[in-house]
Amino acid sequence: MTAFKPTPRSRIKRLPKRAHYERETVHAVLDAALIAHIGYVIDGAPYVTPTAFWRAGDTLYWHGSSASRMLRTLGEGVPACVAVTHFDGFVLARSGFHHSINYRSVTAFGVAYKVEDKVEAEAALDAFMAKFAPGRWAEARPPTPKELKGTTVLRMEIDEAAAKIRTGPPIDDEADYALPVWAGVLPVRMVFGALEPDPRLNPGTVVPGYLKDLAPGTALDEALKRIAGRAKP
């Protein structure tokens, strides 16, 4: 199946022309992000937690302290909602009402479970680091048994997902196009800055090659998409 099948829960009703259910589109929006907001319920109360995440196929992973109430709750097999948003620019229209923003977003639904297998959990953590620094897991000091014991990795198979995307210029009322008001898009990007070496870095330590994708001025989402593309089998 090349697309997620929308249900009343995941179907986009407001401005449905901006909806995308194709896996390729959903995956691209997810792969271009590092932070997701996880929605879930504890004792009847709603919570939303921002956290770093990564994707493998139709599975989303995130991790944290084993003492985390969020991770303990979701690890028991609890329905979750994962949301990711990219803010791409201000859309300035001739009418105040028609101002907007350009964005890419995904909302995914599924049931989260704790990764119990230690080999799978460590492989998942390796994949997380490879999302932005391929090869660094093998280069860095391996985690100790105590560190691994204190870390919980969750996985969620995506049951349903929808992307919603707005691009392009403002859409004004036809009569407003004659107004002498500047209109257009003010793009917004998150980019990498220059590396800031640790003051205690050993003299002569070489900057690893995988950081070339993260050169100053490189857009975060573009770099992550390139890295994800190279990681595909």
Side-chain angles (χ1 to χ4, degrees), residues 59-68 70-78 111-118 120-122 124 148-157:
T59 303
L60 301 181
Y61 291 89
W62 59 95
H63 78 295
S65 168
S66 297
S68 163
M70 181 263 281
L71 295 174
R72 291 202 313 269
T73 299
L74 289 174
E76 297 173 357
V78 172
V111 177
Y113 294 95
K114 180 180 178 181
V115 176
E116 299 286 359
D117 183 80
K118 294 181 179 179
E120 181 185 359
E122 190 164 350
L148 289 174
K149 184 178 181 180
T151 302
T152 294
V153 178
L154 297 185
R155 60 178 293 163
M156 186 191 89
E157 297 290 336

Side-chain angles (χ1 to χ4, degrees), residues 56-226:
D58 279 343
T59 303
L60 301 181
Y61 291 89
W62 59 95
H63 78 295
S65 168
S66 297
S68 163
R69 181 172 65 164
M70 181 263 281
L71 295 174
R72 291 202 313 269
T73 299
L74 289 174
E76 297 173 357
V78 172
C81 175
V82 178
V84 165
T85 303
H86 302 273
F87 174 50
D88 294 326
F90 295 98
V91 180
L92 307 175
R94 295 160 182 84
S95 160
F97 182 80
H98 289 302
H99 280 62
S100 187
I101 62 171
N102 282 341
Y103 61 89
R104 291 159 291 148
S105 66
V106 160
T107 301
F109 300 92
V111 177
Y113 294 95
K114 180 180 178 181
V115 176
E116 299 286 359
D117 183 80
K118 294 181 179 179
V119 174
E120 181 185 359
E122 190 164 350
L125 293 172
D126 183 357
F128 169 50
M129 195 168 290
K131 181 168 184 174
F132 59 92
R136 189 165 183 83
W137 184 265
E139 179 184 36
R141 174 183 65 76
T144 66
K146 181 179 179 181
E147 289 171 334
L148 289 174
K149 184 178 181 180
T151 302
T152 294
V153 178
L154 297 185
R155 60 178 293 163
M156 186 191 89
E157 297 290 336
I158 301 176
D159 295 330
E160 304 173 48
K164 191 174 183 181
I165 300 172
R166 191 207 188 280
T167 61
I171 303 174
D172 275 305
D173 293 340
E174 193 60 38
D176 290 340
Y177 283 97
L179 295 175
V181 177
W182 191 92
V185 175
L186 176 60
V188 175
R189 296 196 310 161
M190 182 180 292
V191 301
F192 291 100
L195 292 174
E196 300 177 359
D198 185 340
R200 297 185 61 178
L201 194 67
N202 290 332
T205 302
V206 178
V207 175
Y210 49 75
L211 291 180
K212 292 179 180 179
D213 273 315
L214 315 180
T218 302
L220 171 65
D221 59 347
E222 291 298 328
L224 293 179
K225 284 192 289 186
R226 286 201 303 270

Side-chain angles (χ1 to χ4, degrees), residues 18-40:
R18 297 180 184 172
H20 300 267
Y21 303 100
E22 304 85 5
R23 273 178 165 76
E24 182 179 6
T25 302
V26 170
H27 290 172
V29 174
L30 293 171
D31 291 344
L34 280 173
I35 302 296
H37 287 77
I38 316 296
Y40 52 97

